[in-house]
Amino acid sequence: MPRAYSADMRERVIARVASGGSRREAAEHYDVSASTAVTWMKCFDETGRSAAKPRGGSISPLEESADFLLTLVAEQPDLTLDDVVFAMRKRRIAGSRTAVWRFFERHKITFKKKPARGGASARGRSAGTAALDERTRHV
């Protein structure tokens, strides 16, 4: 999404219209669209402000239950995301696995595989694998 026009540009367009110019004339002079100048003037006439509206910054509904979720993971750090969602459902807190993952990402909490589980390894590449000559016993 493109960035908002600068406050200086908005103020210059508004000042030109306020000094007697038309919205279209001011838009053409400052190389912005006519609809942009009309929108800025409408906002200025209604609210008296020329600044752009703030962008972004939505808040997750899970933030209301942040204490519960953070405490839950602090007490049981080996929980999976599905376990957390199950605990939320017990307390009637709405949310999905993805929402929980995003919540923990915002709070810098990660879920890593535990080293004790071992994990997958490549076949035939371990230190205990015999060399070809030793297995075939060629002399």
Side-chain angles (χ1 to χ4, degrees), residues 13-87:
V13 171
I14 291 170
R16 187 166 183 116
V17 173
S19 67
S22 72
R23 288 164 172 80
R24 290 185 186 277
E25 180 184 298
E28 188 175 314
H29 184 268
Y30 290 106
D31 199 27
V32 296
S33 70
S35 63
T36 298
V38 169
T39 302
W40 289 348
M41 284 307 300
K42 181 181 177 190
C43 180
F44 183 75
D45 291 340
E46 290 175 357
T47 64
R49 67 179 194 84
S50 62
K53 292 180 185 176
R55 295 168 63 173
S58 64
I59 297 173
S60 169
L62 291 180
E63 292 299 332
E64 296 172 5
S65 305
D67 291 337
F68 166 70
L69 293 171
L70 296 173
T71 303
L72 180 67
V73 172
E75 291 173 356
Q76 301 175 31
D78 61 338
L79 288 176
T80 64
L81 291 175
D82 290 331
D83 293 337
V84 174
V85 172
F86 182 72

